[in-house]
Amino acid sequence: MIPLVAVAHGSRDPRSAATVRALVDRVAAAAPEVDVRVSFLDLSAPLVTDVLRDLVRSGHRSAVVVPLLLGSAFHARVDLPALVAEQAVLRVTIADVLGADLEAVAFDRLASVADVADPGLGVVLAAVGSSRPAANEAVSALARRWQSRHGFRAVAAFASAAKPDVPAACAKLRARGASRIAVASWFLAPGLLPDRISRLALEAAPSAAVAAPLADDPRVAELVLQRYAAALAGAVRTA
């Protein structure tokens, strides 16, 4: 079988890498016939470039890289393809990011900490933020979709690179009549930015409920394997 290389962003926070490794362990356990490797773009080891070189040394000539990313922003569109292109021996297919297919996981995490049928509820959908407007708009569109489907007030907020931030999002929800605030996570793993989101939310709304990141839900591992299978099928068709 063609190896599956899962690649996450990487973080200075050891909880992030530990969570990613646990996710990739679940992927490997669910597909014992596949050589599944964990890797990172930066800040954590092993780096994706080192893993790809190791595959070449092991005799592989192709691989599927699955980005453990929620948005199609700079890391997915620029960083990862550039790193993959550094080696010329291995034929690498890059799968789609996980993205909107984790909507149900994020909503269930929200529902585990807040009453989503509460007419006074205001939901902050918190994400990392990007310099690419389309990536931020995808998060905002998800918040609008939840608002339309479920009836609570919802707005996206970003930890960096985009507006509104969490305090501004909380203020916006209160101005629209929300009496209780909950924060939904659009992050895979714990880390410095999710901690910032939580701190700012509790400063702005001390009774706010904050949902956990997504990676330890079994559906995330299932989606990683779906992305691998889809990329593998595409690579076979175009070979």
Side-chain angles (χ1 to χ4, degrees):
M1 295 291 290
I2 293 177
L4 186 168
V5 180
V7 55
H9 180 271
S11 172
R12 292 183 178 87
D13 189 322
R15 295 172 300 162
S16 179
T19 300
V20 169
R21 291 191 179 96
L23 166 60
V24 176
D25 285 346
R26 285 192 292 275
V27 173
E33 74 283 5
V34 180
D35 183 355
V36 178
R37 310 279 184 108
V38 65
S39 69
F40 301 88
L41 292 172
D42 195 10
L43 301 174
S44 303
L47 297 176
V48 63
T49 46
D50 293 334
V51 171
L52 294 176
R53 292 189 191 103
D54 186 59
L55 288 175
V56 172
R57 287 192 292 269
S58 299
H60 292 286
R61 290 296 175 264
S62 58
V64 170
V65 170
V66 180
L68 303 181
L69 302 171
L70 294 179
S72 182
F74 188 85
H75 296 305
R77 296 168 62 86
V78 179
D79 277 350
L80 182 55
L83 291 170
V84 166
E86 287 184 10
Q87 58 78 40
V89 176
L90 202 64
R91 178 181 176 183
V92 178
T93 302
I94 301 177
D96 289 339
V97 298
L98 303 182
D101 285 338
L102 290 179
E103 175 179 349
V105 177
F107 184 82
D108 289 348
R109 286 289 159 95
L110 170 66
S112 73
V113 299
D115 179 4
V116 294
D118 178 359
L121 183 65
V123 172
V124 177
L125 178 58
V128 61
S130 171
S131 59
R132 183 171 183 259
N136 300 323
E137 172 54 26
V139 182
S140 297
L142 176 54
R144 293 193 298 269
R145 187 157 63 247
W146 282 4
Q147 179 172 280
S148 175
R149 288 178 181 173
H150 304 289
F152 51 67
R153 305 157 187 84
V155 65
F158 303 97
S160 63
K163 300 292 185 181
D165 60 12
V166 170
C170 290
K172 184 180 293 187
L173 289 168
R174 286 201 179 97
R176 289 165 51 187
S179 54
R180 280 164 292 282
I181 301 294
V183 179
S185 178
W186 198 237
F187 290 89
L188 276 180
L192 301 178
L193 291 181
D195 282 355
R196 181 191 301 172
I197 291 284
S198 181
R199 176 177 56 79
L200 291 173
L202 292 172
E203 288 174 357
S207 61
V210 181
L214 313 181
D216 61 349
D217 188 289
R219 289 170 288 181
V220 181
E222 293 170 6
L223 182 59
V224 171
L225 285 172
Q226 291 169 19
R227 291 288 191 263
Y228 168 76
L232 192 59
V236 169
R237 285 196 301 269
T238 58

